[in-house]
Amino acid sequence: MRCPVHLSIGQEAIAVGVSAALERRDFVLSTHRAHAHYLAKGGDMRRFIAELYGRATGCCGGHGGSMHLIDLSANMLGSTPIVGNIVPVATGVAFATWLDGRDEITVVYLGDGATEEGAFVESINFAALKALPIVYVVENNFFSVYSPLSVRQPPARDVVGIAASHGIAGARGDGNDVEEVYRLATIAATHARSGAGPYVLEFETYRWREHCGPAYDNELGYRSIAEFESWRARDPIAAMERRLSQTSTIEPKSREDMARECAAEVDDAFAFALASPFPTGQSFGDAYSSVTAGR
Amino acid sequence: MSREISYGAAIREATDQLMSESDRVYVIGLGTTDPKSIFGTTAGLHVKYGPKRVLDMPTSENAMTGICIGTALMGMRPIMVHQRIDFLLLALDQIVNNAAKWYSMFNGQQSVPLVIRAIVGRGWGQGPQHSQNLQAMFAHVPGLKVVTPAIPADAKGMLIAAAHDNDPVLFIEHRWLHNTFGPVPEEMYETPLGMANVVREGYDVSIVATSFMVIEALRAAEALARHGIEAEVVDVRSIRPLDVDGIIASVRKTGRLVACDAAWKTLGFAGEIIALAAELALENLRARPVRVTLPDWHTAASPVAAEMYYPTAVTIANEVAALFGKPQRSAQEWKLVRKAPADQPDLSFIGPF
């Protein structure tokens, strides 16, 4: 795999909880760390892994890579890695549904770094101005690459407060608690769909692996082992499993079956990707949709 | 074809016809609905089509460009307007990273049918940040189309073609062209993108020009004809896609090339034309190719600076004369004295912008 991957490991609960609160027809756009968002919205796993391998069967035919995930059949409209630059595009998607009086809502995921970009404030200003049906989901994992919040934002900075100063409703929650995410996302989605305007959700969570790539990188010293371990103890998947084992009527046997099915789906996606052809030369070099004279 | 209207009126008429043709078209930009309505080019349209079709907007060029892209992905056909191209620099991220790339990066699944009208300019003390000609910078980026119509009929036909096109098109209007007049058909029509136009036939030298420099080139050609040199003037019209075949055909025919662009010299559009001639028609060149451009420094506001800064028909005529070993002449000697000073499009223009 010759492609920079920005893994969602440790941050799964936000994508799952938010997606569970959406209709399939709702629109989602995302960032460079989009894997979980894409899969949770119903993006095709085979085409996702094939894209990471640069294959013709990938969701971008090998033209995009891991940072550009799209599955139009799931209304996952795309992801981009320039920090903050998907936020206006998503706001435009919501603007289009507003102009046409449609009832889909739009969700855009962004990180704590993106809230420092002008594009974020410009976008929420416009969304508030027109009362657009959009939910901004801020995944605060405390790092922009290796730069911690403390070197980027004053301690009192409050994203939900910034939204509130624009007249936008919002809430903050535990991004590693999938039930809390689902509860808050349902409130936000209902609010947006009712015509009450945009909503800003901020969830705290934590990136387990290196900014980009599959490894752990705590040895670099940009964060403490103690901090990392405290977040690993809050693994959203393990927490959900514990909760289910205490409260759910699901048999242990069927949980094992589910895990096996998931593993098989992942294995199948990797096998599919590795068996897929690379794109041909003819598919490159086409930067334009409409053919014109000249070159 | 007898009706004559202004370049600005042609743009307004094209916009009106586009909006009438499809309810997917909307116009957005700072000042579209204000009393001056982008130099009159959007006048009255918000009354005719309502506040969801013609919108003023927050002073947020970057996000608003991204918002237009988002609506384009949803099937709408936005026409975004900026009163100065200089403000478009705030939106470079959305234009270069998203609009230009969306179609190819997502493997052709969606395109971005977005027209961005940007006005370039000259003179009247606009200074370094209000009169730049940045077309080459944008045209460098694959995925963008960049057009620079010079006459009213092309302004109308190319705006319609741009709005019908499925790719992002930067539609560049020179402020000094808004009040020029010419025949414009009343019906709706397209002037295809990517096709240059020979606006004056000749056989001694090809003057290849964009935007307002086409007007200067035509004046120069008239003066040169009085001295026995027949210049061919090629109005490029579309700098990307570029009518390479059409331009090179003219160069092959005349064997001499003067490339004129109302922008800087270094790494610019005029240099691109000369590179193409060197690659494709070197054996036909009978003289060194010449660039007529702005000097590589910033527009100063003073009217005195304008006299030094802007190349004119006189500059072009003298460059051509040099290729033929003929003497350099003054504006008076070429009979190219402008009635207005170099910082004023014509005497009727008295500002403020």
Side-chain angles (χ1 to χ4, degrees):
Chain A
M1 192 179 290
R2 304 165 71 84
C3 181
V5 289
H6 301 75
L7 298 177
S8 304
I9 294 172
Q11 306 189 187
E12 300 92 342
I14 298 169
V16 172
V18 169
S19 296
L22 300 179
E23 310 279 348
R24 187 164 175 91
R25 68 180 191 278
D26 292 332
F27 299 104
V28 165
L29 297 98
S30 177
T31 69
H32 54 285
R33 201 173 301 285
H35 300 182
H37 308 144
Y38 169 95
L39 290 172
K41 186 62 175 56
D44 185 278
M45 191 184 292
R46 283 181 156 196
R47 301 191 68 204
F48 158 49
I49 301 298
E51 187 61 33
L52 301 191
Y53 278 102
R55 304 300 166 118
T57 53
C59 62
C60 300
H63 291 248
S66 80
M67 295 180 279
H68 299 291
L69 301 185
I70 182 170
D71 188 336
L72 295 179
S73 70
N75 276 354
M76 168 73 199
L77 292 188
S79 66
T80 64
I82 305 301
V83 177
N85 101 332
I86 199 67
V87 181
V89 177
T91 306
V93 170
F95 184 40
T97 60
W98 178 86
L99 283 169
D100 279 343
R102 298 162 58 157
D103 79 338
E104 300 98 332
I105 66 167
T106 301
V107 165
V108 61
Y109 295 96
L110 57 147
D112 44 294
T115 69
E116 293 155 18
E117 297 283 0
F120 170 67
V121 173
E122 292 182 16
S123 295
I124 64 170
N125 177 68
F126 187 71
L129 179 71
K130 301 292 185 189
L132 300 183
I134 182 166
V135 180
Y136 299 92
V137 179
V138 180
E139 298 179 318
N140 180 359
N141 68 8
F142 304 97
F143 289 92
S144 183
V145 190
Y146 295 123
S147 305
L149 271 185
S150 61
V151 302
R152 297 185 287 117
Q153 298 181 12
R157 193 173 189 271
D158 168 14
V159 169
V160 174
I162 291 170
S165 74
H166 289 75
I168 298 174
R172 189 179 299 103
D174 178 356
N176 283 22
D177 179 343
V178 70
E179 290 190 26
E180 178 164 321
V181 173
Y182 173 69
R183 184 178 62 79
L184 292 175
T186 302
I187 293 168
T190 305
H191 176 94
R193 208 182 306 280
S194 74
Y199 206 96
V200 170
L201 291 171
E202 184 192 20
F203 293 112
E204 293 192 350
T205 186
Y206 204 72
R207 181 188 87 208
W208 283 22
R209 306 296 175 108
E210 55 195 331
H211 159 67
C212 173
Y216 290 98
D217 62 355
N218 295 323
E219 77 285 0
L220 296 177
Y222 70 98
R223 59 189 188 184
S224 73
I225 298 296
E227 178 184 292
F228 171 77
E229 290 298 346
S230 77
W231 278 98
R232 198 161 70 161
R234 295 172 57 190
D235 178 352
I237 297 172
M240 189 62 190
E241 279 188 5
R242 277 196 303 275
R243 191 175 299 167
L244 281 175
S245 68
Q246 289 157 9
T247 63
S248 153
T249 55
I250 300 174
E251 296 293 323
K253 167 85 170 62
S254 64
R255 284 219 305 280
E256 282 163 24
D257 287 347
M258 283 167 66
R260 213 173 4 255
E261 281 168 28
C262 288
E265 189 183 353
V266 172
D267 289 344
D268 167 74
F270 275 82
F272 170 81
L274 289 168
S276 291
F278 284 104
T280 60
Q282 288 108 331
S283 80
F284 300 114
D286 183 10
Y288 296 99
S289 171
S290 287
V291 176
T292 58
R295 38 188 146 135
Chain B
M1 272 285 274
S2 59
R3 181 191 64 151
E4 294 211 343
I5 61 173
S6 74
Y7 186 101
I11 287 170
R12 189 200 167 282
E13 186 169 276
T15 309
D16 189 5
Q17 290 177 346
L18 284 161
M19 296 189 75
S20 170
E21 178 187 55
S22 167
D23 70 357
R24 300 292 82 192
V25 177
Y26 73 94
V27 175
I28 189 165
L30 266 173
T32 52
T33 64
D34 78 10
K36 299 212 167 172
S37 56
I38 320 284
F39 310 114
T41 59
T42 58
L45 295 175
H46 66 293
V47 177
K48 183 170 178 182
Y49 294 101
K52 282 190 167 182
R53 301 282 311 277
V54 182
L55 302 96
D56 211 313
M57 69 175 208
T59 315
S60 307
E61 288 82 357
N62 188 41
M64 292 313 302
T65 304
I67 285 164
C68 287
I69 292 168
T71 63
L73 296 174
M74 295 289 286
M76 309 202 80
R77 304 190 81 88
I79 299 176
M80 190 179 204
V81 193
H82 297 274
Q83 300 198 27
R84 296 277 182 268
I85 200 169
D86 316 67
F87 293 105
L88 210 49
L89 296 175
L90 288 161
L92 275 178
D93 171 46
Q94 290 298 330
I95 294 170
V96 175
N97 282 321
N98 282 342
K101 295 178 174 55
W102 208 275
Y103 172 75
S104 58
M105 143 176 119
F106 289 113
N107 200 24
Q109 293 177 77
Q110 292 197 284
S111 56
V112 180
L114 164 66
V115 176
I116 301 177
R117 287 179 50 204
I119 293 159
V120 301
R122 159 173 170 174
W124 204 259
Q126 302 290 343
Q129 296 187 353
H130 258 43
S131 57
Q132 295 174 89
N133 285 244
L134 300 170
Q135 53 268 25
M137 227 175 72
F138 289 98
H140 183 61
V141 180
L144 297 180
K145 292 174 177 171
V146 181
V147 300
T148 58
I151 61 171
D154 287 344
K156 178 175 175 181
M158 294 185 85
L159 184 56
I160 290 168
H164 287 165
D165 198 278
N166 286 328
D167 296 309
V169 182
L170 190 55
F171 184 92
I172 295 184
E173 306 156 27
H174 198 289
R175 178 75 186 100
W176 281 27
L177 295 171
H178 275 147
N179 204 35
T180 59
F181 284 72
V184 177
E186 290 185 36
E187 73 275 10
M188 200 175 188
Y189 63 94
E190 286 190 17
T191 303
L193 309 183
M195 290 181 72
N197 190 24
V198 176
V199 289
R200 184 188 194 280
E201 295 219 27
Y203 44 82
D204 291 323
V205 58
S206 299
I207 306 177
V208 177
T210 63
S211 191
F212 186 74
M213 289 310 285
V214 174
I215 310 301
E216 299 283 7
L218 284 167
R219 295 181 69 229
E222 286 169 29
L224 287 162
R226 291 192 284 270
H227 293 268
I229 296 173
E230 290 299 332
E232 180 148 297
V233 178
V234 181
D235 176 357
V236 175
R237 299 201 289 195
S238 169
I239 67 173
R240 187 165 191 155
L242 181 66
D243 185 358
V244 175
D245 296 344
I247 291 165
I248 293 302
S250 177
V251 174
R252 286 190 193 284
K253 178 171 117 180
T254 66
R256 295 180 183 85
L257 170 61
V258 175
C260 305
D261 189 28
W264 297 302
K265 185 172 204 168
T266 300
L267 296 162
F269 177 74
E272 180 67 24
I273 295 298
I274 289 171
L276 285 166
E279 284 178 347
L280 302 171
L282 188 62
E283 70 281 9
N284 301 96
L285 286 175
R286 288 186 281 168
R288 64 183 170 84
V290 176
R291 286 179 280 184
V292 174
T293 64
L294 300 184
D296 285 329
W297 40 279
H298 298 293
T299 316
S302 167
V304 175
E307 298 286 349
M308 293 187 286
Y309 190 66
Y310 292 108
T312 63
V314 176
T315 321
I316 299 169
N318 277 329
E319 290 288 358
V320 172
L323 294 181
F324 287 89
K326 298 209 170 185
Q328 302 290 289
R329 293 181 169 86
S330 68
Q332 286 82 0
E333 288 165 331
W334 283 116
K335 298 196 175 107
L336 282 173
V337 178
R338 292 182 82 247
K339 292 195 189 80
D343 67 337
Q344 200 176 359
D346 60 68
L347 290 171
S348 72
F349 181 89
I350 50 166
F353 65 92

